[in-house]
Short mmCIF file of all heavy atoms in Angstrom, two decimals:
data_model
loop_
_atom_site.label_atom_id
_atom_site.label_comp_id
_atom_site.label_asym_id
_atom_site.label_seq_id
_atom_site.Cartn_x
_atom_site.Cartn_y
_atom_site.Cartn_z
N ARG A 24 1.17 10.04 -14.15
CA ARG A 24 0.83 8.62 -14.20
C ARG A 24 1.88 7.76 -13.50
O ARG A 24 1.56 6.75 -12.89
CB ARG A 24 0.68 8.15 -15.65
CG ARG A 24 -0.54 8.81 -16.30
CD ARG A 24 -0.95 8.17 -17.59
NE ARG A 24 -1.52 6.86 -17.31
CZ ARG A 24 -1.39 5.82 -18.13
NH1 ARG A 24 -0.73 5.93 -19.24
NH2 ARG A 24 -1.94 4.67 -17.83
N VAL A 25 3.14 8.18 -13.60
CA VAL A 25 4.23 7.39 -13.00
C VAL A 25 4.22 7.49 -11.47
O VAL A 25 4.31 6.47 -10.79
CB VAL A 25 5.60 7.86 -13.55
CG1 VAL A 25 6.74 7.20 -12.79
CG2 VAL A 25 5.71 7.59 -15.04
N ALA A 26 4.07 8.68 -10.94
CA ALA A 26 4.17 8.89 -9.49
C ALA A 26 3.16 8.07 -8.70
O ALA A 26 3.52 7.42 -7.71
CB ALA A 26 4.08 10.37 -9.15
N PRO A 27 1.88 8.06 -9.09
CA PRO A 27 0.92 7.27 -8.30
C PRO A 27 1.23 5.76 -8.31
O PRO A 27 1.03 5.08 -7.30
CB PRO A 27 -0.43 7.55 -8.96
CG PRO A 27 -0.24 8.85 -9.66
CD PRO A 27 1.18 8.87 -10.11
N ILE A 28 1.71 5.27 -9.44
CA ILE A 28 2.04 3.85 -9.49
C ILE A 28 3.26 3.57 -8.61
O ILE A 28 3.30 2.60 -7.87
CB ILE A 28 2.28 3.40 -10.96
CG1 ILE A 28 0.97 3.51 -11.73
CG2 ILE A 28 2.84 1.99 -11.01
CD1 ILE A 28 1.11 3.40 -13.22
N ASP A 29 4.25 4.48 -8.67
CA ASP A 29 5.41 4.35 -7.79
C ASP A 29 4.99 4.34 -6.33
O ASP A 29 5.57 3.62 -5.53
CB ASP A 29 6.38 5.51 -8.06
CG ASP A 29 7.52 5.54 -7.08
OD1 ASP A 29 8.38 4.63 -7.14
OD2 ASP A 29 7.57 6.45 -6.25
N LYS A 30 3.99 5.11 -6.00
CA LYS A 30 3.54 5.18 -4.61
C LYS A 30 2.82 3.91 -4.15
O LYS A 30 2.47 3.80 -2.98
CB LYS A 30 2.67 6.42 -4.38
CG LYS A 30 3.41 7.71 -4.58
CD LYS A 30 4.73 7.74 -3.83
CE LYS A 30 5.54 8.96 -4.16
NZ LYS A 30 6.98 8.73 -4.16
N MET A 31 2.61 2.98 -5.08
CA MET A 31 2.08 1.68 -4.65
C MET A 31 3.09 1.02 -3.70
O MET A 31 2.74 0.11 -2.96
CB MET A 31 1.78 0.78 -5.83
CG MET A 31 0.85 -0.35 -5.40
SD MET A 31 0.33 -1.53 -6.64
CE MET A 31 -0.14 -0.59 -8.05
N SER A 32 4.30 1.56 -3.69
CA SER A 32 5.31 1.06 -2.75
C SER A 32 4.82 1.21 -1.31
O SER A 32 5.22 0.45 -0.44
CB SER A 32 6.63 1.80 -2.93
OG SER A 32 6.49 3.17 -2.61
N VAL A 33 3.96 2.19 -1.07
CA VAL A 33 3.41 2.39 0.28
C VAL A 33 2.63 1.13 0.70
O VAL A 33 2.81 0.61 1.80
CB VAL A 33 2.50 3.63 0.34
CG1 VAL A 33 1.83 3.74 1.70
CG2 VAL A 33 3.32 4.89 0.05
N ALA A 34 1.77 0.66 -0.19
CA ALA A 34 0.98 -0.56 0.10
C ALA A 34 1.89 -1.78 0.26
O ALA A 34 1.69 -2.60 1.16
CB ALA A 34 -0.07 -0.79 -0.97
N LEU A 35 2.89 -1.88 -0.60
CA LEU A 35 3.84 -3.00 -0.49
C LEU A 35 4.61 -2.93 0.83
O LEU A 35 4.86 -3.94 1.48
CB LEU A 35 4.79 -3.01 -1.68
CG LEU A 35 4.15 -3.27 -3.04
CD1 LEU A 35 5.16 -3.07 -4.16
CD2 LEU A 35 3.54 -4.66 -3.10
N THR A 36 4.95 -1.72 1.23
CA THR A 36 5.66 -1.54 2.50
C THR A 36 4.79 -1.96 3.66
O THR A 36 5.27 -2.59 4.63
CB THR A 36 6.08 -0.07 2.68
OG1 THR A 36 6.96 0.29 1.60
CG2 THR A 36 6.79 0.15 4.01
N ILE A 37 3.50 -1.65 3.61
CA ILE A 37 2.58 -2.05 4.67
C ILE A 37 2.57 -3.57 4.78
O ILE A 37 2.67 -4.12 5.88
CB ILE A 37 1.16 -1.48 4.38
CG1 ILE A 37 1.15 0.04 4.55
CG2 ILE A 37 0.13 -2.15 5.30
CD1 ILE A 37 -0.11 0.72 4.02
N ILE A 38 2.46 -4.25 3.66
CA ILE A 38 2.46 -5.72 3.66
C ILE A 38 3.76 -6.26 4.23
O ILE A 38 3.75 -7.15 5.10
CB ILE A 38 2.19 -6.27 2.25
CG1 ILE A 38 0.78 -5.92 1.79
CG2 ILE A 38 2.43 -7.78 2.18
CD1 ILE A 38 0.53 -6.14 0.30
N LEU A 39 4.88 -5.74 3.76
CA LEU A 39 6.17 -6.21 4.24
C LEU A 39 6.38 -5.89 5.73
O LEU A 39 7.01 -6.67 6.44
CB LEU A 39 7.31 -5.61 3.39
CG LEU A 39 7.38 -6.11 1.95
CD1 LEU A 39 8.46 -5.35 1.18
CD2 LEU A 39 7.59 -7.60 1.88
N ALA A 40 5.86 -4.77 6.18
CA ALA A 40 5.96 -4.41 7.60
C ALA A 40 5.21 -5.44 8.46
O ALA A 40 5.67 -5.79 9.56
CB ALA A 40 5.43 -3.02 7.86
N PHE A 41 4.06 -5.93 7.96
CA PHE A 41 3.33 -6.95 8.69
C PHE A 41 4.09 -8.26 8.68
O PHE A 41 4.27 -8.91 9.72
CB PHE A 41 1.94 -7.18 8.05
CG PHE A 41 1.02 -6.00 8.08
CD1 PHE A 41 0.04 -5.87 7.12
CD2 PHE A 41 1.12 -5.02 9.05
CE1 PHE A 41 -0.84 -4.78 7.14
CE2 PHE A 41 0.26 -3.92 9.08
CZ PHE A 41 -0.72 -3.82 8.11
N VAL A 42 4.56 -8.67 7.50
CA VAL A 42 5.17 -9.99 7.34
C VAL A 42 6.58 -10.05 7.95
O VAL A 42 6.89 -10.98 8.68
CB VAL A 42 5.24 -10.36 5.82
CG1 VAL A 42 6.01 -11.65 5.60
CG2 VAL A 42 3.82 -10.48 5.25
N ILE A 43 7.41 -9.07 7.63
CA ILE A 43 8.82 -9.13 8.05
C ILE A 43 9.05 -8.51 9.44
O ILE A 43 9.76 -9.06 10.26
CB ILE A 43 9.72 -8.47 6.99
CG1 ILE A 43 9.64 -9.24 5.67
CG2 ILE A 43 11.17 -8.38 7.49
CD1 ILE A 43 10.33 -8.58 4.50
N LEU A 44 8.43 -7.35 9.65
CA LEU A 44 8.69 -6.64 10.92
C LEU A 44 7.70 -6.99 12.03
O LEU A 44 7.89 -6.60 13.18
CB LEU A 44 8.65 -5.12 10.68
CG LEU A 44 9.64 -4.58 9.66
CD1 LEU A 44 9.43 -3.07 9.48
CD2 LEU A 44 11.07 -4.90 10.08
N GLY A 45 6.64 -7.72 11.68
CA GLY A 45 5.67 -8.13 12.68
C GLY A 45 4.80 -7.01 13.18
O GLY A 45 4.25 -7.08 14.28
N GLU A 46 4.64 -5.93 12.40
CA GLU A 46 3.80 -4.82 12.81
C GLU A 46 2.35 -5.25 12.78
O GLU A 46 1.96 -6.14 12.04
CB GLU A 46 4.03 -3.60 11.93
CG GLU A 46 5.42 -3.01 12.09
CD GLU A 46 5.66 -1.76 11.27
OE1 GLU A 46 4.72 -1.26 10.62
OE2 GLU A 46 6.80 -1.27 11.30
N LYS A 47 1.52 -4.61 13.61
CA LYS A 47 0.10 -4.95 13.71
C LYS A 47 -0.69 -4.25 12.61
O LYS A 47 -0.42 -3.09 12.26
CB LYS A 47 -0.44 -4.53 15.06
CG LYS A 47 0.28 -5.16 16.24
CD LYS A 47 -0.01 -6.64 16.32
CE LYS A 47 0.66 -7.23 17.54
NZ LYS A 47 1.28 -8.49 17.31
N ALA A 48 -1.68 -4.96 12.09
CA ALA A 48 -2.57 -4.42 11.05
C ALA A 48 -3.77 -3.77 11.71
O ALA A 48 -4.52 -4.43 12.40
CB ALA A 48 -3.01 -5.53 10.12
N SER A 49 -3.95 -2.48 11.49
CA SER A 49 -5.14 -1.80 11.98
C SER A 49 -6.12 -1.63 10.81
O SER A 49 -5.72 -1.71 9.65
CB SER A 49 -4.80 -0.41 12.57
OG SER A 49 -4.40 0.46 11.53
N VAL A 50 -7.35 -1.40 11.13
CA VAL A 50 -8.39 -1.19 10.10
C VAL A 50 -8.01 0.02 9.23
O VAL A 50 -8.12 -0.05 7.99
CB VAL A 50 -9.77 -1.02 10.75
CG1 VAL A 50 -10.80 -0.61 9.71
CG2 VAL A 50 -10.20 -2.27 11.48
N GLN A 51 -7.57 1.09 9.86
CA GLN A 51 -7.20 2.29 9.10
C GLN A 51 -6.06 2.00 8.11
O GLN A 51 -6.10 2.45 6.96
CB GLN A 51 -6.78 3.44 10.04
CG GLN A 51 -7.88 3.98 10.89
CD GLN A 51 -7.98 3.26 12.24
OE1 GLN A 51 -7.46 2.15 12.42
NE2 GLN A 51 -8.67 3.88 13.17
N VAL A 52 -5.04 1.28 8.54
CA VAL A 52 -3.91 0.98 7.69
C VAL A 52 -4.35 0.08 6.54
O VAL A 52 -3.96 0.29 5.38
CB VAL A 52 -2.76 0.32 8.50
CG1 VAL A 52 -1.69 -0.25 7.57
CG2 VAL A 52 -2.15 1.33 9.46
N LEU A 53 -5.18 -0.91 6.81
CA LEU A 53 -5.63 -1.81 5.76
C LEU A 53 -6.52 -1.08 4.73
O LEU A 53 -6.36 -1.27 3.53
CB LEU A 53 -6.39 -2.99 6.36
CG LEU A 53 -5.55 -3.96 7.18
CD1 LEU A 53 -6.40 -5.01 7.85
CD2 LEU A 53 -4.46 -4.60 6.32
N ILE A 54 -7.41 -0.24 5.20
CA ILE A 54 -8.27 0.54 4.29
C ILE A 54 -7.42 1.51 3.48
O ILE A 54 -7.55 1.61 2.25
CB ILE A 54 -9.37 1.27 5.05
CG1 ILE A 54 -10.39 0.27 5.62
CG2 ILE A 54 -10.07 2.30 4.15
CD1 ILE A 54 -11.40 0.89 6.56
N GLY A 55 -6.53 2.23 4.14
CA GLY A 55 -5.66 3.17 3.44
C GLY A 55 -4.79 2.49 2.40
O GLY A 55 -4.66 2.96 1.27
N GLY A 56 -4.20 1.36 2.77
CA GLY A 56 -3.39 0.59 1.81
C GLY A 56 -4.20 0.11 0.64
O GLY A 56 -3.76 0.18 -0.52
N GLY A 57 -5.43 -0.34 0.90
CA GLY A 57 -6.31 -0.79 -0.17
C GLY A 57 -6.66 0.35 -1.12
O GLY A 57 -6.72 0.16 -2.33
N LEU A 58 -6.90 1.53 -0.56
CA LEU A 58 -7.22 2.69 -1.41
C LEU A 58 -6.02 3.09 -2.27
O LEU A 58 -6.19 3.49 -3.42
CB LEU A 58 -7.68 3.85 -0.54
CG LEU A 58 -9.06 3.70 0.11
CD1 LEU A 58 -9.32 4.82 1.12
CD2 LEU A 58 -10.16 3.65 -0.95
N ILE A 59 -4.82 2.98 -1.71
CA ILE A 59 -3.61 3.30 -2.49
C ILE A 59 -3.49 2.32 -3.65
O ILE A 59 -3.22 2.73 -4.79
CB ILE A 59 -2.35 3.26 -1.59
CG1 ILE A 59 -2.38 4.45 -0.62
CG2 ILE A 59 -1.09 3.29 -2.43
CD1 ILE A 59 -1.35 4.37 0.48
N VAL A 60 -3.69 1.05 -3.38
CA VAL A 60 -3.62 0.06 -4.46
C VAL A 60 -4.70 0.32 -5.50
O VAL A 60 -4.42 0.32 -6.72
CB VAL A 60 -3.76 -1.38 -3.90
CG1 VAL A 60 -3.94 -2.39 -5.01
CG2 VAL A 60 -2.55 -1.73 -3.04
N ALA A 61 -5.92 0.61 -5.07
CA ALA A 61 -7.00 0.87 -6.01
C ALA A 61 -6.68 2.10 -6.87
O ALA A 61 -6.85 2.07 -8.10
CB ALA A 61 -8.32 1.08 -5.26
N GLY A 62 -6.17 3.15 -6.25
CA GLY A 62 -5.81 4.35 -6.99
C GLY A 62 -4.70 4.09 -7.99
O GLY A 62 -4.72 4.57 -9.13
N SER A 63 -3.72 3.32 -7.58
CA SER A 63 -2.60 2.99 -8.48
C SER A 63 -3.06 2.16 -9.66
O SER A 63 -2.64 2.37 -10.78
CB SER A 63 -1.51 2.22 -7.70
OG SER A 63 -0.96 3.05 -6.68
N LEU A 64 -3.98 1.22 -9.41
CA LEU A 64 -4.49 0.39 -10.51
C LEU A 64 -5.30 1.25 -11.49
O LEU A 64 -5.23 1.03 -12.70
CB LEU A 64 -5.32 -0.76 -9.94
CG LEU A 64 -4.55 -1.81 -9.18
CD1 LEU A 64 -5.50 -2.84 -8.56
CD2 LEU A 64 -3.50 -2.48 -10.05
N VAL A 65 -6.05 2.21 -10.98
CA VAL A 65 -6.76 3.13 -11.86
C VAL A 65 -5.79 3.87 -12.77
O VAL A 65 -6.04 4.08 -13.95
CB VAL A 65 -7.63 4.12 -11.04
CG1 VAL A 65 -8.16 5.26 -11.91
CG2 VAL A 65 -8.79 3.39 -10.37
N MET A 66 -4.67 4.25 -12.23
CA MET A 66 -3.65 5.00 -13.00
C MET A 66 -3.01 4.15 -14.11
O MET A 66 -2.47 4.67 -15.06
CB MET A 66 -2.56 5.54 -12.09
CG MET A 66 -3.08 6.50 -11.04
SD MET A 66 -4.00 7.89 -11.69
CE MET A 66 -2.72 8.85 -12.40
N LEU A 67 -3.09 2.82 -13.99
CA LEU A 67 -2.53 1.96 -15.04
C LEU A 67 -3.37 1.97 -16.30
O LEU A 67 -2.88 1.70 -17.38
CB LEU A 67 -2.42 0.51 -14.50
CG LEU A 67 -1.32 0.24 -13.50
CD1 LEU A 67 -1.46 -1.16 -12.94
CD2 LEU A 67 0.05 0.42 -14.13
#
C-alpha cells in the first residue's frame, strides 16, 4: 500500500517538469501520469 502511493511522486515530477523545467506535455505522458494518480488514489 505504501509503495504505490509513494510512486505518486512520478505524477508530481511530471507536473513539476512542465512547470519548472519547461518540458513539453505529450498525450502519452499525461495519460500515464493520470493513470499513476488514479492507481495511487485507489491504494488510499
Side-chain angles (χ1 to χ4, degrees):
R24 293 194 70 213
V25 172
I28 294 168
D29 172 69
K30 296 311 173 214
M31 197 179 315
S32 65
V33 174
L35 295 172
T36 300
I37 291 168
I38 293 167
L39 292 175
F41 297 154
V42 174
I43 296 172
L44 301 177
E46 294 183 4
K47 302 289 183 223
S49 70
V50 172
Q51 293 91 341
V52 169
L53 293 174
I54 291 172
L58 290 171
I59 290 168
V60 170
S63 296
L64 292 175
V65 168
M66 299 305 287
L67 286 172

